Amino acid sequence: MISAHLIARPAVVVIDPGHGGWDRGGMPGQRLPEKAYTLDIATRLARVLQNDGRVKVVLTRRDDSFVPLMSRVYLANEYAGRNAVFVSIHCNAGLRANAFGVESYYNNSHGYRLAALIHPRVIQALGSIDRRIRHRGYLVLRRNRLPAVLVECGFLTNPTEAARLSDSGTRDRVARAIAAGILAY
Ligand SMILES: [Zn+2]
C-alpha cells in the first residue's frame, strides 16, 4: 500500500533569494551584485510555481532589503509539518575567474533528495558543469526543519557564466529547472 503523503508533491515552497540590502553577496569588489541575480531568479521561480497553481509560494524577501538569516529560518519553520520545502537561491563567486559550474548544498537526508532532483536540471538549464551536491552546515540549512536546499546557480565571477546569467532567457530556464525539480519531489 502506498500512503498518500509519499506521492503528494510539496504543498508549500519557501523560496529564499540570497543576500539583499547592504549584503550584496559574492566577493568584495565583485562587479555583478549577487543579491540582484538571486532575487530575479527567485521571482521567476515564484511566478512559474504560482502559474502551475498546485503549490503555495512564500518568499523570504520580495525586494532589495536585508533579511537576517535566522528570520528566513523562522519563516520556513512556520511551515514545518505542512508538506513544505525550502529552496535558497544563490550565485557563486571564485577567486579564480575560470572557476565555474553548479553546486548544491544540503544538511539532512530530505534535503539531499530534493537537491538530487534540482541540481542536474540546473546544470542542464545553464549548460554548465557539475560541481557536486555537498553536505554543508549553513545556518539556513542547519536550523531548517523543512527539506532544505541551497543552489549556487553558476559563478558571476566567470565571464562566460556571468554572460549567460545576465541573459533573462537563461535565468528563466534556470528558474523553470528549479521548479521542475521541486515539483518532482
Ligand atoms: Zn550567496
Side-chain angles (χ1 to χ4, degrees):
M1 219 172 88
I2 299 168
S3 63
H5 78 272
L6 288 176
I7 52 172
R9 64 177 54 83
V12 182
V13 180
V14 181
I15 304 171
D16 177 43
H19 313 283
W22 57 261
D23 175 13
R24 293 175 86 243
M27 300 193 316
Q30 184 173 314
R31 192 171 61 84
L32 303 175
E34 182 190 349
K35 64 175 186 175
Y37 286 78
T38 63
L39 182 61
D40 182 273
I41 294 169
T43 304
R44 289 172 194 275
L45 170 60
R47 206 175 302 141
V48 172
L49 291 171
Q50 272 154 357
N51 288 343
D52 178 81
R54 291 176 292 183
V55 295
K56 174 183 164 67
V57 175
V58 177
L59 282 155
T60 59
R61 70 174 175 101
R62 295 181 165 277
D63 53 25
D64 183 20
S65 54
F66 175 76
V67 179
L69 293 178
M70 271 317 291
S71 304
R72 301 174 193 236
V73 173
Y74 289 142
L75 178 62
N77 288 347
E78 281 179 31
Y79 296 93
R82 289 170 60 183
N83 196 18
V85 299
F86 177 91
V87 179
S88 188
I89 309 292
H90 286 253
C91 294
N92 226 330
L95 288 170
R96 292 177 304 111
N98 57 358
F100 73 106
V102 176
E103 289 175 8
S104 298
Y105 304 115
Y106 71 99
N107 194 248
N108 58 43
S109 57
H110 294 294
Y112 178 80
R113 196 159 70 80
L114 182 60
L117 292 165
I118 295 172
H119 184 74
R121 289 176 165 90
V122 173
I123 294 168
Q124 193 178 33
L126 195 56
S128 190
I129 59 163
D130 185 356
R131 290 177 62 99
R132 295 190 296 117
I133 299 169
R134 302 157 187 246
H135 184 272
R136 284 282 165 87
Y138 292 138
L139 186 78
V140 292
L141 302 177
R142 198 177 71 240
R143 300 290 297 276
N144 213 306
R145 293 172 60 201
L146 310 182
V149 174
L150 188 152
V151 190
E152 296 274 8
C153 308
F155 280 67
L156 289 171
T157 46
N158 176 277
T160 308
E161 212 141 76
R164 281 189 199 156
L165 285 165
S166 295
D167 171 61
S168 61
T170 302
R171 295 196 301 276
D172 216 56
R173 278 198 300 281
V174 169
R176 286 176 194 286
I178 297 168
I182 292 169
L183 293 173
Y185 181 74

